Amino acid sequence: MFRKILIANRGEIAVRVMRACKELGIKTVAVYSKADLHAFHRVYADECYFIGEPEPSKSYLNIDAIIDAAKRSGAEAIHPGYGFLAENPEFAGRCEEEGLVFIGPKPEVIEAMGSKISARRLMKEAGVPVVPGSDVLKSEDDAVDFAEKIGYPVAIKASGGGGGIGITIAYSSEEVRRAFEKSKKLGEKYFRDSTVYIEKYLPKPRHIEFQILSDGNKVLHLGERECSIQRRHQKLIEEAPSPIFDEEMREKFGRIAVKGARHIGYTNAGTMEFLYQDGELYFLEMNTRLQVEHTITEMVTGMDIVKEQIRIAYGTGISFDQEDVRIRGHAIEARINAEDPVSFLPRSGRITHYRSPGGPGVRVDSGVHMGYEISPYYDSMISKLITWGRTRIEAIARMRRALYEYIIEGVETNIPFHMVVVEDEEFAKGNTHTKFVDERHIPERVLASIKNIRHLKHRLDDIFRGMNGVRKDYDPVAIAVSAVMAYLENERIEGLVEAKVSQPWKIYHRLRSLGWM
């Protein structure tokens, strides 16, 4: 097995990968930007390396800096997490060139599936149904002609798009012309790819995805997830299994997903995403990386997907077979973001008070803590709140309780949004689709309910009463004493002056627990 792995990411996903490594007895290497000087993933790792300024292009997207850190640390492999360089074929290729194992698929597969036009073509070859649509559109006239051929409404999409960026809906020829230019510009701006294509727009589909694992020999799936609760084409709540799937459907559509992955020679973990409407499943895209929502699949299958990624990359293969995969109970994930719960505009700032929920069936994946600074440079996700129950009803009840218990102050969060959704009667019935948030007027209902939600929260906030807001780790006497004790205990205090609080904070509280201070 690998002795040391560098995690080329930050926040909760970096911590998630490090936890899997720790259980496997693998040393971990963190990289961090100037903005993440006091980040939890930095101190959780066995060692860490500074890679640049806060801007992603100068740090977490800086391939040379990350490769250099891996070489200096002696890491044998790199796990990219999700986002940043996770689906960058150039980065995967550089890892290979430098003798580092990239924990993910081959560069050529990432590149082929990174283009939605190429991915659609490959899935057609494999016999996987795709949403009716075009190849590359060369002009506005081509776009209008194709739209009128398949009928309105249509979605004009940037070929290299992701996260809902580069998608524009059109209901007429005039709107198609405007959408064509808009999607081209967005594609060029965000993905350096101005090619666009058209798909038939499905008005209220369900967003269904299958978790794939492949070691080059075995290709199998871990069941489906439903990700229909979205805003601006970005997921907010996911659940596994889908409330409308039974074993027969799971087996039927799971075979289709496996067939598509096998056709392209996929290896490692990936996700085949589909739109489901009127009994038909249509391929949407493939994410050639670990998904944010992999957690709920782990909860209902008992499988550790990150460990399997590492085993596959090392060459030992998947540790189980398709017949070993059993769906047990139901799991729901709520993405807790620092954002306005009505407008969804991101927020930044310092978390002044923090207490995460717990109890039966509750899991919290996060990289934050009290005093943590939510940076404007990165995604605004604070954590992922996951609940499991023997039934969907129990999983929802636990999610309601966990949201009630979750205290985050200092930055605005979307917890009120999640509270309204999980209390919605149609959500409880499983009647969800990608237009659910708008159709059920969730933002308006959040606005109306915030006063009551705040009243409930204030009852829990009493646990922080009496705190004077002064952080003990800034006490100069404590820092000085801690530094001396660190020297006596032969602690690693590299970067002490620059970091100011990271090691002293850790040592100070250790000394307090021993009764020395």
Side-chain angles (χ1 to χ4, degrees):
M1 182 50 71
F2 297 117
R3 296 187 303 275
K4 187 181 290 187
I5 293 175
L6 182 143
I7 296 84
N9 218 297
R10 65 181 298 278
E12 64 84 15
I13 190 57
V15 175
R16 167 68 188 94
V17 176
M18 290 173 191
R19 283 173 169 159
C21 290
K22 190 171 285 291
E23 291 181 20
L24 291 170
I26 301 169
K27 296 291 185 182
T28 56
V29 181
V31 291
Y32 66 99
S33 72
K34 192 172 182 179
D36 281 336
L37 195 60
H38 309 305
F40 182 63
H41 80 277
R42 174 181 176 271
V43 297
Y44 187 86
D46 293 294
E47 53 188 290
C48 57
Y49 290 82
F50 177 73
I51 55 170
E53 295 301 309
E55 294 84 358
S57 62
K58 298 178 181 178
S59 50
Y60 297 106
L61 293 175
N62 187 334
I63 294 176
D64 290 335
I66 292 171
I67 295 291
D68 178 65
K71 286 187 166 184
R72 284 192 288 144
S73 70
E76 303 150 281
I78 293 181
H79 194 301
Y82 57 73
F84 292 128
L85 295 169
E87 293 180 284
N88 186 307
E90 180 188 351
F91 180 56
R94 276 289 304 280
C95 288
E96 287 188 358
E97 292 170 7
E98 301 289 347
L100 297 162
V101 177
F102 179 78
I103 301 178
K106 295 295 182 183
E108 56 270 23
V109 175
I110 297 175
E111 186 169 18
M113 301 309 286
S115 163
K116 289 183 170 55
I117 294 173
S118 170
R120 284 169 54 85
R121 190 179 302 122
L122 287 166
M123 290 303 105
K124 283 182 181 179
E125 291 175 5
V128 175
V130 300
V131 178
S134 70
D135 284 328
V136 178
L137 295 169
K138 296 180 180 179
S139 67
E140 291 180 14
D141 290 338
D142 286 344
V144 170
D145 289 344
F146 195 89
E148 294 184 347
K149 177 182 175 183
I150 62 174
Y152 296 103
V154 295
I156 293 83
K157 297 185 174 183
S159 178
I165 299 171
I167 301 175
T168 312
I169 313 305
Y171 293 84
S172 67
S173 59
E174 291 78 12
E175 290 184 5
V176 166
R177 293 182 185 279
R178 289 195 294 270
F180 178 83
E181 289 302 321
K182 180 180 178 181
S183 292
K184 278 180 70 71
K185 290 177 181 177
L186 288 171
E188 178 62 36
K189 178 180 179 180
Y190 289 100
F191 312 106
R192 293 183 294 179
D193 181 357
S194 63
T195 56
V196 298
Y197 68 103
I198 279 183
E199 279 185 350
K200 178 66 179 174
Y201 180 65
L202 303 178
K204 293 201 300 186
R206 288 177 179 260
H207 189 131
I208 304 291
E209 60 188 32
F210 274 83
Q211 177 67 60
I212 298 294
L213 282 177
S214 173
D215 58 16
N217 179 27
K218 289 188 286 190
V219 183
L220 48 82
H221 71 85
L222 302 185
E224 84 285 354
R225 300 185 285 255
E226 177 153 347
C227 312
S228 297
I229 306 299
Q230 305 176 4
R231 51 101 167 97
R232 299 169 188 162
H233 306 288
Q234 294 186 318
K235 305 165 189 173
L236 285 173
I237 296 177
E238 303 98 350
E239 56 184 307
S242 167
I244 63 162
F245 269 43
D246 55 26
E247 283 296 333
E248 184 179 348
M249 294 172 69
R250 185 169 300 114
E251 183 178 348
K252 173 186 174 182
F253 293 127
R255 283 199 304 268
I256 291 174
V258 166
K259 183 167 65 171
R262 190 182 295 279
H263 177 71
I264 61 175
Y266 196 83
T267 53
N268 215 269
T271 300
M272 301 284 284
E273 302 208 9
F274 300 88
L275 295 178
Y276 178 86
Q277 187 168 299
D278 301 325
E280 298 294 331
L281 197 71
Y282 301 100
F283 174 79
L284 179 64
E285 64 180 350
M286 185 175 193
N287 285 296
T288 55
R289 54 167 169 80
L290 186 68
Q291 288 277 84
V292 174
E293 60 272 21
H294 75 278
T295 55
I296 51 176
T297 297
E298 292 181 328
M299 297 294 278
V300 297
T301 63
M303 309 298 185
D304 188 315
I305 295 172
V306 178
K307 285 183 182 178
E308 295 303 323
Q309 284 191 288
I310 294 169
R311 292 188 181 107
I312 292 168
Y314 187 70
T316 55
I318 302 170
S319 64
F320 54 88
D321 297 311
Q322 187 67 64
E323 54 266 29
D324 298 319
V325 179
R326 295 286 184 271
I327 306 299
R328 298 177 178 86
H330 200 94
I332 301 172
E333 175 181 283
R335 301 188 187 195
I336 308 301
N337 298 331
E339 65 183 24
D340 185 302
V342 177
S343 69
F344 305 121
L345 293 173
R347 296 288 188 254
S348 60
R350 186 178 298 279
I351 296 176
T352 56
H353 291 158
Y354 183 86
R355 187 181 190 280
S356 59
V362 176
R363 166 179 170 178
V364 179
D365 279 23
S366 79
V368 304
H369 48 78
M370 195 131 63
Y372 182 84
E373 185 79 26
I374 304 296
S375 171
Y377 293 102
Y378 313 119
D379 185 87
S380 63
M381 182 185 290
I382 292 174
S383 66
K384 300 182 303 196
L385 174 61
I386 305 103
T387 58
W388 177 90
R390 291 165 297 173
T391 65
R392 185 171 185 268
I393 291 173
E394 185 173 57
I396 291 174
R398 285 176 169 170
M399 178 59 74
R400 290 170 178 168
R401 170 179 63 79
L403 289 166
Y404 169 78
E405 292 178 11
Y406 213 161
I407 300 174
I408 305 173
E409 292 186 358
V411 291
E412 196 169 19
T413 76
N414 62 351
I415 288 177
F417 168 88
H418 291 299
M419 285 180 155
V420 170
V421 171
V422 298
E423 291 288 349
D424 184 90
E425 59 184 15
E426 291 302 310
F427 178 83
K429 293 175 183 176
N431 296 331
T432 58
H433 50 77
T434 57
K435 296 295 176 287
F436 181 91
V437 171
D438 293 331
E439 188 176 274
R440 298 296 295 168
H441 306 291
I442 301 299
E444 294 89 339
R445 289 163 59 191
V446 169
L447 193 61
S449 68
I450 279 179
K451 184 179 292 187
N452 291 332
I453 292 171
R454 284 177 177 162
H455 172 68
L456 293 173
K457 284 293 184 184
H458 288 162
R459 291 165 55 188
L460 288 175
D461 289 346
D462 283 347
I463 64 173
F464 295 109
R465 186 170 294 165
M467 291 183 65
N468 60 17
V470 177
R471 295 175 58 187
K472 299 295 184 182
D473 45 334
Y474 279 108
D475 183 338
V477 175
I479 290 175
V481 172
S482 296
V484 172
M485 294 306 300
Y487 175 78
L488 294 176
E489 292 184 9
N490 197 28
E491 288 276 352
R492 179 170 64 88
I493 57 172
E494 177 184 342
L496 181 63
V497 175
E498 179 187 24
K500 295 182 183 176
V501 298
S502 74
Q503 289 294 340
W505 176 89
K506 188 175 181 182
I507 301 163
Y508 172 76
H509 287 286
R510 182 184 302 172
L511 295 176
R512 284 200 65 183
S513 69
L514 293 172
W516 293 1
M517 297 187 67

